Amino acid sequence: PAPGGGAPPLVVHAEVQAAIDAGEPVVALESTIITHGMPYPDNLHTARAVEEAVREAGAVPATVALLDGVCHVGLATEELTRLAQLGRERVAKCSRRDLAAVMARRGHGATTVSATMLLAHLAGVPVFVTGGIGGVHRGGEASMDVSADLTELSRTPVCVVCAGVKSILDIPRTLEVLETNGVAVAALGASEFPAFFTRSSGCAAPLTVANPHEAAALVLDPRCGARTHDLPRSPQISELRGRVQFCVFQTHARGRVSRCTHCILPSQPLLHSTPLCHARPYTHTHTHTHTHT
């Protein structure tokens, strides 16, 4: 928050602001994937490709980030390039809680889901697209390791379109937290909640919308009250579900054996010893159901 308890200062890119003022579609994009997801120049190529995909769909992209302590919603070409070149060594990964600290020291920040939602909302951008959101970590009932993304979804009126939660997380418990917090979760064109890499997670989707028109009606209906929605879009590689689950569970087991409670990655790459293409499929039969109380 800014001094006096107000909202943080924002620089909204001119193209983004013009689209907002004209009532044209704008889609917010996070920036953590740019600085912390891959090296330069692959990260820049990916960021540009994502923005181009948004444009091809008829909307204006608004990549969100902090540069020199200033929050930006929409980056100019040179700003996007600069962010990609700075990389993870010089750019902080910013959740909502980190924004004030990065702004105070006039640093650079790449926004996670929660920070992107907040800044997009303050700029008047109602839709945000990302890969996978955070959630409840495996063993979270003991560690209390729960992503701030879930809290943000419950209090910031932005529609988040994603591929579900990251597959290494506890998806059933994540859905329970979203239900408790009153977040509407609807799967687009599917009856099952996706697992980031795959269409299938073994968890039933709380709601289903058949097409983008139904999704838009759900988000824009003024009778909904809080307009925060999570709309998982399933990737089309469902045949990998068993293999991904097997690798996740095996990696988690190795983390527990090594008494590592907050990081489930082994000291050596799992796929080095158990290639994904040869992994024994893991059969997961649990189906998550919701009870409304």
Side-chain angles (χ1 to χ4, degrees):
L10 288 174
V11 172
V12 181
H13 190 277
E15 181 188 17
V16 174
Q17 189 61 61
I20 293 172
D21 293 342
E24 298 174 354
V26 180
V27 174
L29 302 168
E30 67 161 283
S31 50
T32 299
I33 185 64
I34 301 172
T35 57
H36 291 68
M38 58 190 72
Y40 180 83
D42 295 338
N43 57 353
L44 180 59
H45 297 330
T46 301
R48 287 174 174 170
V50 171
E51 288 197 346
E52 184 58 31
V54 172
R55 293 188 187 280
E56 289 177 357
V60 174
T63 300
V64 179
L66 284 78
L67 290 171
D68 301 308
V70 178
C71 300
H72 290 260
V73 177
L75 296 177
T77 300
E78 60 273 14
E79 292 169 335
L80 187 63
T81 301
R82 182 187 178 201
L83 182 70
Q85 291 174 333
L86 285 168
R88 64 190 306 155
E89 293 79 12
R90 289 175 286 179
V91 179
K93 185 177 180 179
C94 288
S95 183
R96 170 192 271 257
R97 68 166 190 179
D98 306 304
L99 292 174
V102 174
M103 292 169 62
R105 64 172 180 264
R106 296 179 182 177
H108 313 301
T111 55
T112 64
V113 169
S114 64
T116 304
M117 287 182 66
L118 172 63
L119 297 178
H121 172 58
L122 293 175
V125 178
V127 177
F128 163 42
V129 173
T130 187
I133 65 171
V136 179
H137 283 248
R138 295 173 188 265
E141 69 277 12
S143 68
M144 297 299 292
D145 193 351
V146 180
S147 172
D149 297 351
L150 303 187
T151 303
E152 202 65 43
L153 279 162
S154 72
R155 64 184 175 187
T156 301
V158 169
C159 172
V160 178
V161 182
C162 62
V165 301
K166 295 177 176 65
S167 55
I168 63 171
L169 302 177
D170 189 326
I171 295 176
R173 283 192 171 92
T174 297
L175 286 170
E176 290 289 357
V177 171
L178 289 170
E179 178 190 9
T180 299
N181 288 337
V183 178
V185 178
L188 179 59
S191 60
E192 193 168 339
F193 190 85
F196 190 47
F197 289 114
T198 63
R199 285 184 178 273
S200 176
S201 67
C203 299
L207 300 169
T208 298
V209 288
N211 52 57
H213 295 288
E214 287 190 12
L218 172 65
V219 172
L220 298 175
D221 193 325
R223 296 169 295 181
C224 289
R227 287 176 49 223
T228 298
H229 300 79
D230 184 24
L231 294 171
R233 178 68 183 268
S234 309
Q236 298 185 29
I237 48 176
S238 58
E239 67 277 5
L240 290 179
R241 178 196 163 202
R243 296 173 182 175
V244 170
Q245 289 282 28
F246 174 73
C247 290
V248 167
F249 275 84
Q250 186 176 353
T251 307
H252 180 60
R254 291 184 181 184
R256 291 182 64 184
V257 169
S258 63
R259 297 173 183 260
C260 175
T261 58
H262 290 89
C263 175
I264 67 169
L265 296 178
S267 57
Q268 295 182 352
L270 175 64
L271 301 186
H272 175 75
S273 58
T274 308
L276 185 61
C277 59
H278 296 122
R280 175 173 56 84
Y282 174 82
T283 302
H284 183 55
T285 57
H286 174 75
T287 300
H288 180 75
T289 57
H290 286 281
T291 57
H292 298 281
T293 58

